[in-house]
Amino acid sequence: MLEGIEFVNKEFFWLLLALPLAIVWYIFKNKKQTAELKISSLKGFKVTNSLLPKFKHVLFALRLLALAFLITALARPQTVDVSSKTKTTRGIDIVMAIDVSASMLAKDLKPNRLEALKKVASEFIQGRPNDRIGLVEYAGESYTKTPITSDKSIVLRSLRSIKYNNIIEGGTAIGMGLATSVNRLKDSKASSKVIILLTDGVNNSGFIDPKIASELALEYGIKVYTIGLGTNGMALSPVAIDPRTGNFQYGRIQVEIDEALLKEIAEVTSGKYFRATNNKKLEEIYDEINKLEKTEIEEFKFYNYEEKFRPLVLIAGLLLLIELLLRNTVFKSFV
């Protein structure tokens, strides 16, 4: 390929090897046909010096050049303009159910569990341009933060605005968070429906049993990935509110996550349970989910070929025409 040009029939370039042989043959023939006359003196002869006979070799050069152009044309040079169009053949609808209880402010992840989650979840969302994503918040109760949408700017803006507040009833209602997520996905027409449910505690409030919610997910063909967030052992967590400042007071308390329940939810719905004990592990979990849930994309490529041999044939024809005209006019008496 030269400057965007590729040759379809490159084998014709072997014919160029005949050109040096033609030159050798021409030199040999020219010497053989040149007549020699030896005389002792030029006295009595009228001698004129003319450069024209020396230029008769231009005729052969024109013919060789024309042949080179014809051979190149036979190699079929062309340019290819490639355009592509992608089509999502298997879209995925995803709801991220996020625990926003006070314990999510624990500092075993940096700067705390909630902020660490928001950072990793943001990268996950940006890495899924072809899927629809929604957000659900839950603590002692749950509600839809963002319905499933393909507009990632809306989802990311909503994710950034998630924070702990005392408006939502305290506690951890895993069943409520899961049921609300199922409700957002049950009417989805997507070929794959997924819930990523994250919590750092045990189910201790709400009026919907998590096992009932997981059976609902199974009924609607929804796969649930569950994530237990928190280190093993003790963690610096909010324990009380300072009445003077209104800020949380922190103390070291035992991390309690109902892993058995989260594993059961994942198993019933053909999902998977993960445990995130630090920021790096949390990132790895979302990377793994990203790999497990692949969106199938079909790519169509369109090739527009433009043949480039015609100008070469025209040039070769022009060179042969010039050679013919010169042979029968200027050099007529020398060939």
Side-chain angles (χ1 to χ4, degrees):
M1 185 182 293
L2 298 171
E3 298 294 333
I5 296 178
E6 59 182 28
F7 297 90
V8 179
N9 303 319
K10 297 183 180 69
E11 61 274 12
F12 279 101
F13 281 123
W14 287 104
L15 294 175
L16 291 173
L17 294 175
L19 299 185
L21 296 176
I23 294 172
V24 172
W25 172 82
Y26 177 77
I27 293 172
F28 176 76
K29 181 184 175 185
N30 189 61
K31 282 186 176 180
K32 194 173 180 182
Q33 289 183 344
T34 302
E36 290 186 0
L37 176 65
K38 292 182 179 180
I39 58 175
S40 58
S41 174
L42 292 175
K43 211 171 187 185
F45 292 92
K46 185 179 179 182
V47 179
T48 57
N49 292 323
S50 175
L51 293 175
L52 197 58
K54 296 180 181 179
F55 284 102
K56 71 175 183 177
H57 304 300
V58 171
L59 301 176
F60 180 69
L62 288 171
R63 184 169 294 188
L64 278 186
L65 196 56
L67 284 173
F69 275 106
L70 284 174
I71 291 169
T72 306
L74 286 171
R76 198 179 165 191
Q78 61 181 210
T79 57
V80 185
D81 180 27
V82 183
S83 60
S84 62
K85 182 180 179 182
T86 57
K87 176 186 176 184
T88 303
T89 58
R90 183 177 178 268
I92 300 176
D93 280 354
I94 301 171
V95 169
M96 304 173 72
I98 300 172
D99 186 345
V100 292
S101 57
S103 59
M104 285 291 287
L105 300 178
K107 299 180 183 291
D108 49 349
L109 275 75
K110 306 300 177 186
N112 59 48
R113 293 173 183 172
L114 185 58
E115 291 303 317
L117 166 66
K118 286 164 64 176
K119 179 179 181 296
V120 175
S122 175
E123 294 171 356
F124 175 82
I125 291 167
Q126 292 178 73
R128 310 219 37 119
N130 302 297
D131 301 324
R132 298 196 306 166
I133 297 177
L135 300 176
V136 165
E137 288 186 19
Y138 72 96
E141 54 186 345
S142 67
Y143 74 96
T144 301
K145 178 76 172 177
T146 307
I148 52 173
T149 176
S150 57
D151 191 333
K152 301 303 183 298
S153 61
I154 293 175
V155 182
L156 290 169
R157 192 160 52 246
S158 295
L159 179 67
R160 286 192 294 268
S161 69
I162 291 177
K163 59 183 178 180
Y164 167 78
N165 62 71
N166 54 14
I167 298 175
I168 300 178
E169 183 181 335
T172 304
I174 295 174
M176 295 284 288
L178 181 54
T180 302
S181 301
V182 170
N183 190 51
R184 301 313 314 179
L185 286 172
K186 64 183 179 66
D187 296 323
S188 168
K189 302 300 182 184
S191 56
S192 184
K193 295 175 280 190
V194 172
I195 293 172
I196 302 175
L197 184 141
L198 183 140
T199 184
D200 65 346
V202 298
N203 186 68
N204 55 22
S205 59
F207 55 84
I208 297 179
D209 189 313
K211 295 180 181 179
I212 299 296
S214 63
E215 289 173 3
L216 283 171
L218 177 62
E219 182 181 343
Y220 288 108
I222 301 169
K223 188 186 298 184
V224 183
Y225 291 103
T226 54
I227 302 174
L229 185 61
T231 188
N232 294 311
M234 309 293 285
L236 191 63
S237 305
V239 292
I241 295 178
D242 188 330
R244 294 171 300 174
T245 63
N247 296 325
F248 277 110
Q249 294 178 326
Y250 283 79
R252 302 193 70 82
I253 61 174
Q254 182 69 36
V255 175
E256 294 183 10
I257 299 174
D258 194 343
E259 291 192 283
L261 173 63
L262 296 178
K263 287 177 182 177
E264 183 179 353
I265 292 171
E267 185 178 350
V268 166
T269 61
S270 301
K272 194 172 180 179
Y273 168 70
F274 302 92
R275 178 67 185 271
T277 54
N278 53 50
N279 293 58
K280 187 173 185 301
K281 185 64 178 175
L282 183 62
E283 290 176 8
E284 291 173 355
I285 289 168
Y286 272 89
D287 284 342
E288 184 170 348
I289 295 173
N290 194 37
K291 292 173 184 175
L292 288 170
E293 294 299 326
K294 287 291 185 182
T295 299
E296 294 179 8
I297 299 174
E298 192 172 16
E299 184 177 18
F300 298 92
K301 281 194 174 181
F302 303 93
Y303 296 86
N304 182 31
Y305 296 94
E306 186 176 349
E307 301 291 347
K308 297 293 184 181
F309 68 87
R310 293 179 184 86
L312 299 175
V313 174
L314 290 174
I315 292 172
L318 181 62
L319 291 172
L320 289 174
L321 180 61
I322 293 171
E323 190 250 354
L324 183 64
L325 290 173
L326 291 175
R327 182 179 295 274
N328 289 283
T329 53
V330 179
F331 296 103
K332 187 173 182 180
S333 58
F334 301 101
V335 294

